[in-house]
Amino acid sequence: MILERCLGSMLLVLSMLSNVLGAFVGVNIGTDVSSMPPASDVVAIVKAHQITHIRLYDADPHMLKALAGSGIEVTVGVTNEEVLGIGESASAAAAWINKNVAAYMPSTNITAIAVGSEVLTSVPHAAPVLVTAMNNLHKALVAADLNFQVKVSTPQSMDIIPKPFPPSTATFNSSWNSTIYQLLQFLKNTNSYYMLNAYPYYGYTNGNGIFPIDYALFKPLPSVKQIVDPNTLFHYNSMFDAMVDATYYSMDALNFSVIPIVVTETGWPWQGGSNEPDATVENAETFINKLIQRVSNNSGPPSQPTIPINTYIYELFNEDKRPGPISEKNWGLLFTNGTAVFPLSLGGPSQITGNSTAVFCVAKDDASEDKLRDGLNWACGQGQANCSAIQSGQPCYLPNNIKNHASYAYNDYYQKMHTVGGTCDFDGTATTTTIDPSYGSCIFTGSSNSSTGRESLPPTALGPISPGGSTKLPLSKIQFLISATCLLVVLL
């Protein structure tokens, strides 16, 4: 009895913390990886990067065991191949829940089940039983007394909204209206949320030049190029927000309101073929870091400003075994050794990650390229910074852009000279930060990694931030609160 009360209190504490801490940024973990690390290593990498929410595309037992005790919130997946069987058999659904969810809880913090992946557009023959499958799984959760901890939903692509702009007139493809109506009714009845896969990369590359790339990358647009919905006069600062709002308006067209949206997939490929010029490291770095900043401000899109947009980035590692164009294989944030493909930042110099108290000097996001070039040349010349690492073929050469190279040179100069009066200014193009800008094998001067070897993981944080800018509570503190709650229950 005491154990049951303790576990109930644990779940209550986690729920309270989730509500208090605001929006989160999670990460998808695909497995079409030729050199996939063991599950225990994957979890270690996730924890090292302070990732608090992950989505699996299946219910891999090795991953679910490795996640036990981590506190990481896990969305497990019913594969598209399993949807038909679960939709046709309540007993199959019960068996799936018992094997893949109940067997691991509460040690593994499973909070959601994603039923299929873009079923309506990728496996339309399963669409007639999709909502039945979701109902069967929910009933199995009720029978296992897990329905309050675990939500059931199904990720859908933007393709089921034929004309997403302007958002105010967006509607779902009418041929799916019956299924989508049943889906939304299920989500409303079970207090669940709509799972949306939203890719501004494809919205831009398939858009025939209608929208500028800066709009897809969260970059500010000049006043003469603002994106405005002519019906509501809402200004859209990013394609991401417009996609989410188009989905809210599509639900509203079917008379469903305030079903929250969670973006279960979004990202940007960092490498592509010769016919994919926008799949670059620089664009991926810009998109991901500005996405993290956008989600972390805890606001919603213009039509639903009070509903934060919880979001999962696609994806943790490159899935190099996936078929298709080169870009399809290059969406990963990290290499399989745990190092970042490009610098990942929560976007504020006041935010401290890890235990480092080091201060770094980096180029400002809004600095002009001409001034950055002047600053880079001065740092590598008169400033006597060691700029060998940003030469072609060296660890910090990529991404090959002026901002990245200037950051490395500025920081090298600052680390060597700040104790004797050197500043981090460079004609207003530089700023200090406590976030270690090291990434991959590129180790910035002053990094804790530079003294411990290059196999250690960079202290990038992908967890949510509160409106005040502080990072999410570390898992150790959450575990302390849970332990304290359990102790209180025992004493009572």
Side-chain angles (χ1 to χ4, degrees):
M1 181 65 181
I2 289 176
L3 178 60
E4 290 177 358
R5 290 168 67 193
C6 180
L7 293 178
S9 300
M10 287 169 62
L11 292 166
L12 178 61
V13 168
L14 287 171
S15 175
M16 290 170 61
L17 285 170
S18 177
N19 291 334
V20 168
L21 291 168
F24 66 77
V25 177
V27 180
N28 290 275
I29 303 180
T31 56
D32 284 337
V33 182
S34 57
S35 56
M36 188 74 177
S40 58
D41 290 352
V42 174
V43 174
I45 289 169
V46 167
K47 291 168 70 176
H49 286 270
Q50 301 179 34
I51 298 168
T52 58
H53 296 69
I54 64 168
R55 175 186 169 215
L56 307 177
Y57 288 91
D58 53 20
D60 179 70
H62 302 292
M63 280 296 297
L64 292 175
K65 287 177 183 176
L67 286 160
S70 68
I72 295 166
E73 295 195 22
V74 184
T75 296
V76 294
V78 174
T79 66
N80 284 344
E81 292 75 19
E82 294 173 309
V83 171
L84 272 174
I86 291 173
E88 293 169 351
S89 168
S91 61
W96 196 95
I97 292 296
N98 290 333
K99 177 184 177 182
N100 299 306
V101 178
Y104 299 99
M105 293 183 68
S107 297
T108 300
N109 189 20
I110 299 172
T111 58
I113 301 171
V115 183
S117 179
E118 303 183 351
V119 169
L120 299 187
T121 50
S122 60
V123 280
H125 64 277
V129 298
L130 174 61
V131 179
T132 304
M134 297 171 70
N135 266 307
N136 288 344
L137 289 166
H138 178 72
K139 289 176 182 176
L141 288 170
V142 171
D145 198 24
L146 294 172
N147 55 301
F148 291 108
Q149 298 101 289
V150 184
K151 297 300 180 183
V152 178
S153 189
T154 177
Q156 299 301 330
S157 77
M158 283 297 298
D159 291 341
I160 63 173
I161 302 175
K163 296 179 180 179
F165 197 88
S168 61
T169 59
T171 59
F172 292 115
N173 185 327
S174 59
S175 63
W176 294 115
N177 271 1
S178 175
T179 299
I180 293 173
Y181 185 90
Q182 295 173 46
L183 166 61
L184 297 176
Q185 190 67 59
F186 170 86
L187 298 178
K188 180 180 179 181
N189 292 345
T190 60
N191 196 30
S192 188
Y193 46 85
Y194 187 95
M195 292 181 169
L196 171 67
N197 292 351
Y199 285 98
Y201 172 76
Y202 291 123
Y204 170 71
T205 57
N206 298 334
N208 299 316
I210 296 174
F211 297 108
I213 190 169
D214 285 353
Y215 177 58
L217 292 173
F218 297 93
K219 288 185 175 182
L221 298 173
S223 57
V224 294
K225 292 186 178 180
Q226 294 291 303
I227 308 299
V228 180
D229 186 313
N231 303 305
T232 62
L233 299 183
F234 285 144
H235 286 242
Y236 287 90
N237 296 322
S238 71
M239 189 180 293
F240 177 82
D241 278 75
M243 286 177 163
V244 173
D245 240 1
T247 308
Y248 275 121
Y249 279 110
S250 296
M251 288 192 282
D252 190 61
L254 292 177
N255 296 315
F256 287 92
S257 59
V258 200
I259 295 175
I261 292 170
V262 171
V263 175
T264 36
E265 288 182 21
T266 192
W268 197 282
W270 54 267
Q271 186 176 346
S274 58
N275 62 335
E276 300 173 300
D278 303 299
T280 67
V281 171
E282 184 174 6
N283 284 346
E285 177 185 350
T286 298
F287 179 86
I288 294 299
N289 283 316
K290 288 188 178 293
L291 169 74
I292 293 170
Q293 293 174 33
R294 165 65 189 90
V295 172
S296 297
N297 72 18
N298 290 316
S299 68
S303 80
Q304 304 289 341
T306 62
I307 306 178
I309 312 173
N310 292 326
T311 299
Y312 291 82
I313 296 172
Y314 182 85
E315 56 185 332
L316 190 66
F317 304 128
N318 280 348
E319 291 189 273
D320 58 312
K321 292 164 61 177
R322 288 182 66 85
I326 293 174
S327 64
E328 190 67 21
K329 310 170 193 295
N330 289 283
W331 293 76
L333 296 175
L334 308 177
F335 297 109
T336 52
N337 66 357
T339 57
V341 173
F342 46 78
L344 291 164
S345 168
L346 287 171
S350 64
Q351 297 154 9
I352 301 173
T353 61
N355 297 316
S356 173
T357 56
V359 176
F360 302 89
C361 179
V362 296
K364 290 182 177 178
D365 287 338
D366 59 354
S368 75
E369 287 202 3
D370 288 341
K371 283 191 172 183
L372 285 174
R373 189 170 290 104
D374 290 341
L376 172 62
N377 290 337
W378 187 92
C380 295
Q382 188 177 343
Q384 298 184 356
N386 182 354
C387 297
S388 59
I390 54 177
Q391 305 306 308
S392 180
Q394 297 305 305
C396 301
Y397 177 70
L398 295 175
N400 179 21
N401 61 68
I402 193 71
K403 177 177 173 287
N404 182 66
H405 290 179
S407 289
Y408 185 88
Y410 287 1
N411 181 70
D412 190 81
Y413 167 83
Y414 180 73
Q415 298 299 331
K416 293 173 180 176
M417 302 301 293
H418 76 277
T419 56
V420 292
T423 62
C424 179
D425 182 70
F426 295 92
D427 197 18
T429 64
T431 186
T432 56
T433 178
T434 53
I435 299 172
D436 188 343
S438 303
Y439 58 97
S441 58
C442 175
I443 309 301
F444 275 53
T445 308
S447 168
S448 59
N449 288 351
S450 62
S451 60
T452 57
R454 293 188 174 179
E455 294 181 0
S456 56
L457 297 173
T460 306
L462 290 181
I465 13 185
S466 70
S470 60
T471 54
K472 183 164 184 174
L473 284 173
L475 290 177
S476 59
K477 291 186 179 180
I478 292 175
Q479 290 163 348
F480 170 78
L481 287 171
I482 292 171
S483 300
T485 304
C486 288
L487 178 60
L488 182 62
V489 169
V490 171
L491 292 175
L492 291 174

